[in-house]
Amino acid sequence: MRIQVKQLGAVLSSRPAGREALLAVRSSLLRDVKKTEALELDFEGVDALTPSWADEFVTPLREEWGDMLHCVNTQNPSVKATLEFLKQIHAT
Amino acid sequence: MDMKDARIQKAFDWLGKENGENFLLPDEHCPTRDVFQGRLEKMNILLKNAHELNDIASLIVVIVGEIGNNAFDHNLGNWRDEVGVYFSYDITARCIVIADRGLGVQTTLKRVRPEIQNDCEALTIAFKEIVTSRAPEKRGNGLKLVEKMVLAQNMKLDVYSGAGHYGIEHGETMCSGEEKVYNGVIAVLKF
């Protein structure tokens, strides 16, 4: 299953928005997806990803999907920096 | 702080007023998070169109987004008087200002760190440590990444709250006491 993150917005900012996005995605795209299936978050077209939004959206998905979660098209500087930052803080 | 830029001076004037209502112009006042988000997205488009800023446009939006949303996160229902934030920028002049008449960093962090002694200590903790006044929620990390981004891209960020001034510039951070007290937060980003 691949989620086009840009469908949730180009400027992904604020914790409430991240939470809302996760709730929406869980009730629709992820409803019938098993945790044993690979889940891809495609960041193509995302202009800005803040750590607050990402911590509410990506972090719970990473906790549930573990190594089955893959983030792709992460070249945008803020996407790269934010995902790397989240990895660091959740590793400690 | 160079006050020659009128938008910077306006932020300080706003926070210095006894009553902050009816001072800001509609297009520089974001009374709600949704309005702030809309204007942040507009700024994103302007930054994208400024091709010389391509490498740092997304980082600028993240820095501004984190600071602006922090104001709403920590002050909802607790604004001194005027709700929301002052958000003003000039892409050509490479200057962005955000300010709020909220509780200030020290008051919000003292909820979970009562031992904090002054505004400078509070500001330093806010930028250096993962801590939140909205405990027990798992949050409080955004400003750490803001500092990393400002340092990595050689931008300049000055944040004033209470009698404290936290500055990030030329690869270094500093915190100093100010004579005047600003009740709320003012953040000035130069890039």
Side-chain angles (χ1 to χ4, degrees):
Chain A
M1 159 61 71
R2 177 177 277 216
I3 294 176
Q4 304 279 358
V5 182
K6 70 178 177 188
Q7 292 246 338
L8 302 165
V11 175
L12 301 170
S13 173
S14 98
R15 283 191 179 270
R19 239 174 274 139
E20 174 69 15
L22 182 61
L23 285 170
V25 153
R26 276 215 170 110
S27 67
S28 57
L29 299 171
L30 296 180
R31 219 166 59 163
D32 300 318
V33 178
K34 295 186 177 57
K35 304 284 190 309
T36 48
E37 290 179 43
L39 176 60
E40 273 190 352
L41 300 182
D42 185 346
F43 288 89
E44 192 264 321
V46 169
D47 286 341
L49 177 69
T50 69
S52 294
W53 192 97
D55 205 26
E56 295 291 339
F57 185 84
V58 179
T59 299
L61 291 176
R62 191 165 293 289
E63 284 168 0
E64 290 171 48
W65 259 268
D67 293 337
M68 299 298 285
L69 178 75
H70 306 284
C71 294
V72 299
N73 292 320
T74 60
Q75 308 92 297
N76 175 283
S78 71
V79 172
K80 207 167 160 180
T82 291
L83 292 178
E84 185 54 47
F85 179 71
L86 285 188
K87 247 192 213 163
Q88 286 169 14
I89 61 167
H90 290 299
T92 54
Chain B
M1 169 56 52
D2 178 8
M3 298 299 189
K4 283 191 211 128
D5 190 316
R7 73 195 72 248
I8 300 175
Q9 183 61 56
K10 188 158 191 176
F12 284 93
D13 289 345
W14 185 45
L15 258 67
K17 287 182 77 63
E18 183 74 23
N19 187 327
E21 290 172 316
N22 304 311
F23 179 74
L24 301 178
L25 298 173
D27 63 356
E28 62 196 8
H29 179 217
C30 304
T32 67
R33 198 193 295 268
D34 291 335
V35 174
F36 174 70
Q37 177 68 19
R39 293 193 178 150
L40 187 67
E41 292 182 17
K42 181 183 172 184
M43 188 185 76
N44 176 54
I45 293 169
L46 294 172
L47 285 167
K48 278 169 67 171
N49 289 339
H51 300 294
E52 71 277 15
L53 298 173
N54 269 341
D55 289 346
I56 59 170
S58 69
L59 304 178
I60 291 169
V61 173
V62 166
I63 290 165
V64 173
E66 282 292 316
I67 292 172
N69 276 296
N70 263 353
F72 290 101
D73 286 350
H74 297 290
N75 294 302
L76 268 183
N78 280 302
W79 310 100
R80 256 202 292 162
D81 38 53
E82 185 69 274
V83 303
V85 302
Y86 165 68
F87 176 31
S88 182
Y89 57 88
D90 182 338
I91 303 299
T92 312
R94 298 190 171 213
C95 177
I96 300 169
V97 187
I98 303 170
D100 70 72
R101 288 173 63 94
L103 297 170
V105 178
Q106 187 183 174
T107 301
T108 56
L109 284 188
K110 266 184 116 139
R111 289 176 192 156
V112 290
R113 298 281 290 269
E115 73 278 11
I116 289 175
Q117 295 285 309
N118 55 56
D119 293 300
C120 221
E121 189 184 347
L123 281 164
T124 305
I125 289 170
F127 276 94
K128 300 284 189 202
E129 295 185 28
I130 294 174
V131 65
T132 178
S133 68
R134 283 181 58 153
E137 294 173 72
K138 286 193 307 180
R139 50 197 294 155
N141 48 54
L143 290 181
K144 277 192 73 169
L145 183 58
V146 163
E147 179 163 298
K148 272 181 107 152
M149 287 176 169
V150 172
L151 287 168
Q153 298 299 328
N154 210 22
M155 293 188 258
K156 183 179 187 319
L157 179 66
D158 290 283
V159 181
Y160 299 81
S161 185
H165 166 207
Y166 191 85
I168 308 171
E169 187 181 15
H170 297 319
E172 289 181 355
T173 64
M174 55 65 77
C175 201
S176 60
E178 294 283 300
E179 274 182 28
K180 209 159 175 215
V181 175
Y182 296 102
N183 292 315
V185 177
I186 299 170
V188 181
L189 178 70
K190 293 195 171 182
F191 52 93

